[in-house]
Amino acid sequence: MGRAFAAGLAVLAALTGCTVQTPDGQGKRRSPVHIELPSGTPSPGRTPAGDDGGPEPAPPSGDDKPHTAAAPPRVLWSRGDTGRDVRELQARLRQVAWLFEGPTGTYDEPTERAVSGFQGKRGLPRTGKTDAVTWRRLLRMTREPGRWDLYLMGGQRADPPDARCRTGRVLCIDKTSRTLRWMVDGRTVSTMAVRFGSQYTPTREGVFAVYWKSRDHVSTLYDSPMPYAMFFSGGQAVHFSADFAARGYAGASHGCVNVRDEAAIAELYAQVRNGDKVVVSW
C-alpha cells in the first residue's frame, strides 16, 4: 500500500506541477507536496518565452514612467558660419537647384532658406541649419564639387605673382588661379577674380602693355558692352563683364580678361595708365 500511495503522489505531482520536498537541512520534514502556482512575474534570472535578449519592449500606452528623448542630430553649420565647408554646402545645393547664388563661403539668408527647403522636401525638420542627417542626405544626391564649382563667383586666392610682375606698374594676370593683381614696384595694390576666353577664343599669354583705354566701350565685333576696357593685345582687353557677374565661371569671354566686380575695376581703371605693363601667364 505504501508503494501505491507514493505512486499516486507522483502522478498528482506530474498533473499539478508539484514537487515532493525532502527534509530540510535541520532534519525537519516539510509538507510532502509543494504546488507552484502561475505568476505574472518571471522569477529572477529567467528569460520569458520568446525573449531573444534584445531591447525590452516599449511600455504600454499610458505608462507614466519618464522616457529619454532621442538626441537631435549634431548641427554642422548654420547662419553666420564661413569657410570652405560652407562653400561646398552651397555648391552642392546649387547642383540640386535649391540655391542659385554663390558659392560665397558665408552661410547667409539665401543659404538658410535653401537648406530649409531641401529639408522640408525630404521630410526632415525645417530648421535651416545643416545638421549631420541633412548633410548625409545631400551628399548622397550630389557629386564632389570641383575648384571652380566652389569659386564659381570668385573669391579664390591669388597664386604668387610671376617674376616678371615684380618691377614697375603691372597688371599681373594668372590663368591658374584666375586672378588679376594690380602691382606697383613689387607691391600688390589690389586683387580681383577674372575670367578668360574659351578654348576656341583663348586669351593670349605673354608680356604686353596697355595701349588704349575706353571707359564706355562697345565691341564692334560682338556688339556687346565692354565698360572700363583697357586694351593690351589687338582686340583683347581687361574689362567689366555683366555676364561674368551674373554667371561666374559657367561662361567664358571671347578672349578678353573679364572682371565681375564693377566697383573694383572702376577703381583700377582710374589708376592704370597707357604704357603700363600687362603679364598674362599660367
Side-chain angles (χ1 to χ4, degrees):
M1 178 176 175
R3 289 181 181 179
F5 180 74
L9 283 178
V11 171
L12 178 62
L15 292 177
T16 62
C18 305
T19 56
V20 177
Q21 302 297 307
T22 58
D24 61 18
Q26 299 179 350
K28 297 179 179 179
R29 181 173 297 276
R30 289 183 286 176
S31 170
V33 177
H34 174 70
I35 302 176
E36 293 183 353
L37 298 176
S39 171
T41 303
S43 61
R46 178 178 173 186
T47 302
D51 190 343
D52 59 0
E56 293 184 5
S61 177
D63 188 354
D64 60 357
K65 294 182 180 178
H67 304 293
T68 303
R74 181 168 61 96
V75 173
L76 304 178
W77 311 289
S78 59
R79 183 85 169 265
D81 287 340
T82 61
R84 194 268 183 200
D85 290 339
V86 175
R87 281 189 181 276
E88 181 174 348
L89 167 68
Q90 293 169 328
R92 290 180 182 272
L93 286 169
R94 284 179 61 91
Q95 290 180 32
V96 291
W98 277 105
L99 188 66
F100 301 96
E101 304 175 16
T104 64
T106 298
Y107 204 116
D108 51 13
E109 183 180 355
T111 304
E112 188 175 64
R113 287 198 307 267
V115 171
S116 177
F118 177 84
Q119 290 169 327
K121 182 74 172 179
R122 280 141 194 92
L124 303 174
R126 297 180 63 129
T127 65
K129 300 176 181 180
T130 304
D131 55 46
V133 174
T134 302
W135 181 238
R136 284 196 298 269
R137 183 70 63 87
L138 185 59
L139 286 178
R140 289 198 298 267
M141 296 178 62
T142 55
R143 60 172 175 78
E144 180 75 20
R147 182 180 184 186
W148 302 116
D149 294 320
L150 297 174
Y151 293 95
L152 183 68
M153 307 307 291
Q156 68 275 15
R157 293 183 179 181
D159 286 346
D162 186 280
R164 296 169 291 181
C165 299
R166 297 188 181 279
T167 58
R169 299 164 57 87
V170 191
L171 290 171
C172 190
I173 300 166
D174 188 328
K175 282 187 165 184
T176 302
S177 63
R178 299 185 181 183
T179 54
L180 180 155
R181 289 176 181 264
W182 168 230
M183 302 185 68
V184 178
D185 297 330
R187 179 176 64 90
T188 299
V189 179
S190 60
T191 305
M192 56 200 75
V194 291
R195 186 178 73 171
F196 305 102
S198 68
Q199 61 177 326
Y200 305 107
T201 55
T203 303
R204 289 184 281 276
E205 298 142 30
V207 180
F208 312 93
V210 175
Y211 70 87
W212 181 37
K213 294 172 61 180
S214 180
R215 167 65 180 77
D216 298 305
H217 193 77
V218 176
S219 170
T220 55
L221 184 60
Y222 299 105
D223 193 29
S224 59
M226 298 171 57
Y228 305 103
M230 294 171 277
F231 289 88
F232 62 87
S233 176
Q236 295 191 354
V238 176
H239 68 85
F240 171 72
S241 168
D243 182 74
F244 185 21
R247 298 200 298 142
Y249 292 113
S253 75
H254 293 100
C256 288
V257 178
N258 291 164
V259 178
R260 67 178 302 272
D261 187 334
E262 188 170 8
I265 195 170
E267 186 175 349
L268 178 64
Y269 184 87
Q271 298 177 48
V272 172
R273 306 169 189 162
N274 286 341
D276 286 346
K277 185 163 60 173
V278 179
V279 176
V280 182
S281 64
W282 280 103

